Structures are given as C-alpha cells and as structure tokens.
Amino acid sequence: MPETLNVAVCICTGVTLSDFIPNIEILAELNDADDPVFSKLQGIVDVPFRVKFEYLSPTLDPVVSLRGKCAPTFNPTTTYAAAKASGTQYDIIFVPAGEPSVPEDLIAFICTQRPRFALRQEGDDEQGILSHYRGVFSSVQGIKFDLTHGFIEAATPKDIKWVTKARWAVDGNIWTSSGVAAGYDMVLAFIEHLVGPPTARVLRDAAEIRDATQEDDPFAEFHGLV
C-alpha cells in the first residue's frame, strides 16, 4: 500500500505563482500511478508514495500574487496558526518566494516542523523542505542555500553558506533552488530522490523539461558571481 506524504505549500502576499504551481503539478503526477491507463502509457509503476497538498497562509483571504490583482489569486486551505495549534506535522514543506519580509507566523510554523526533520530516522528521506530562492532562507541558519542571483548581496542572515553557482542546492533534507525555472529541476531531482530515476525520467519527459544538473548554472556568470 503506497504511503501518502502530506505537503504543506506555504504562501503569502506577493507569492510568485510560477514558483509553486508548476512544481506542485509535477509533484502531483506521482498520484497518476493510481490511474491504470495513464500509468501504463507513461510507464509510472511501483511508485511507493502519493501526495496530498495543503495550502497555508497567514489568513484564509485569497492570496494576491507578485503581479497584483490583475493576476489570479490563490485560496489557502488553512492558516499557519491553525496548523501550528493542531500540531500537524508535514512530510514535505514547499516554500515559494513571497513578500521580502517573511511573515513571522510562517517562520514560527517552520520552526515547529523542523524538529521532526532533525530527528528523522535513517530511511525517512521523504521528509524535506523545498524552497525557491528567498522563500525560506531568513528562517534558518547555518545551511547551504542556493538563491536567485540578484538577491545574494542583500540576503540575511550572514552566516548562511551561499552557493553562488548552482541550479539547486541540497543540505541534508533542505533543498533550495535559484530562479523560477530552476525549481522545476529541483523538484524533479527531489522526485528522483524519493522514487528513483525511472519515474523521474517519465515525469521530466512528460513535462518536456530538458535535463539539468546542479552545476548547470549559466546565470551565475551573467550576474557576475563567478
């Protein structure tokens, strides 16, 4: 029987929609293994995990994205405070970029989740935090982070170990990517970590995303970081 992984998608005002919606769609394709027709056609077999998503925000009000009210808004399903109060622990936390100042309740929420990650047992590799550039860096310290290159000089706190040339970076169970499209490669690499290369290969080809490695980062030179 496949195990269901609970995914918390942490959003707030100013979120970049393309930072999380395509990534969630890619991750959600793990659930296609339950469709016998699709799984047979695509070659998705023996997938040990399914995913269930919850969308968290400071309030239940529709979240206005970076592009303002002219762009689609997004309806959260619960609040950080409610999730914290319920003691819910998630298997995967996905934090796209939002407003420059990360909401305090988001930081508090992540801090209640991190002890479970720190205490994970061998074999519990499915637990992880995934983030786009400045989505989560201000709430953790002493971690290697990739970041959209234009934000590195302004990033705080200073004890974070920035990786200036990387498509994405991994430190333990924390995965971070640089700009928008880099997140697709990070999520596909995470899927490969979860379920192995064959399924990740199928999902990459289905989405028509070219192969990339962590070192495939031409934009570091463009921004003068190497």
Side-chain angles (χ1 to χ4, degrees):
M1 178 68 67
E3 178 184 355
T4 298
L5 302 179
N6 293 310
V7 184
V9 183
C10 301
I11 54 179
C12 58
T13 300
V15 69
T16 304
L17 296 175
S18 53
D19 269 2
F20 75 97
I21 292 178
N23 298 282
I24 294 308
E25 288 186 322
I26 293 170
L27 190 57
E29 287 181 358
L30 292 176
N31 295 337
D32 289 334
D34 290 327
D35 184 333
V37 175
F38 185 87
S39 62
K40 182 178 180 180
L41 290 175
Q42 298 295 328
I44 300 178
V45 295
D46 299 325
V47 178
F49 300 112
R50 304 293 184 266
V51 285
K52 180 180 179 182
F53 299 96
E54 194 152 34
Y55 300 90
L56 289 75
S57 184
T59 72
L60 291 178
D61 296 331
V63 171
V64 178
S65 76
L66 177 68
R67 299 304 173 191
K69 294 184 177 179
C70 63
T73 58
F74 200 90
N75 294 325
T77 56
T78 191
T79 66
Y80 297 120
K84 182 181 176 183
S86 70
T88 302
Q89 289 286 315
Y90 295 90
D91 299 296
I92 299 170
I93 297 178
F94 191 94
V95 188
E99 51 196 7
S101 58
V102 180
E104 289 296 325
D105 43 4
L106 167 56
I107 296 174
F109 166 74
I110 291 176
C111 288
T112 65
Q113 299 289 312
R114 291 188 66 217
R116 184 182 182 199
F117 300 138
L119 296 173
R120 73 190 191 283
Q121 300 297 313
E122 183 176 355
D124 288 339
D125 293 335
E126 67 276 15
Q127 298 171 340
I129 300 178
L130 285 73
S131 178
H132 264 293
Y133 66 130
R134 55 195 172 101
V136 74
F137 71 84
S138 63
S139 64
V140 294
Q141 299 181 6
I143 300 295
K144 291 188 297 184
F145 269 82
D146 191 10
L147 185 72
T148 292
H149 305 101
F151 288 91
I152 285 179
E153 291 184 359
T156 56
K158 299 300 183 184
D159 65 339
I160 285 178
K161 298 170 280 186
W162 297 113
V163 181
T164 56
K165 182 179 174 64
R167 189 72 172 163
W168 71 90
V170 182
D171 194 342
N173 64 330
I174 297 181
W175 298 56
T176 56
S177 75
S178 54
V180 173
Y184 313 160
D185 294 312
M186 175 187 69
V187 167
L188 284 162
F190 183 72
I191 289 173
E192 181 173 335
H193 172 73
L194 277 180
V195 300
T199 295
R201 176 79 267 165
V202 168
L203 299 186
R204 180 179 287 276
D205 289 346
E208 300 187 4
I209 298 173
R210 295 181 183 274
D211 284 324
T213 68
Q214 287 180 262
E215 292 73 31
D216 288 337
D217 185 10
F219 305 104
E221 184 175 355
F222 174 82
H223 288 281
L225 296 174
V226 293

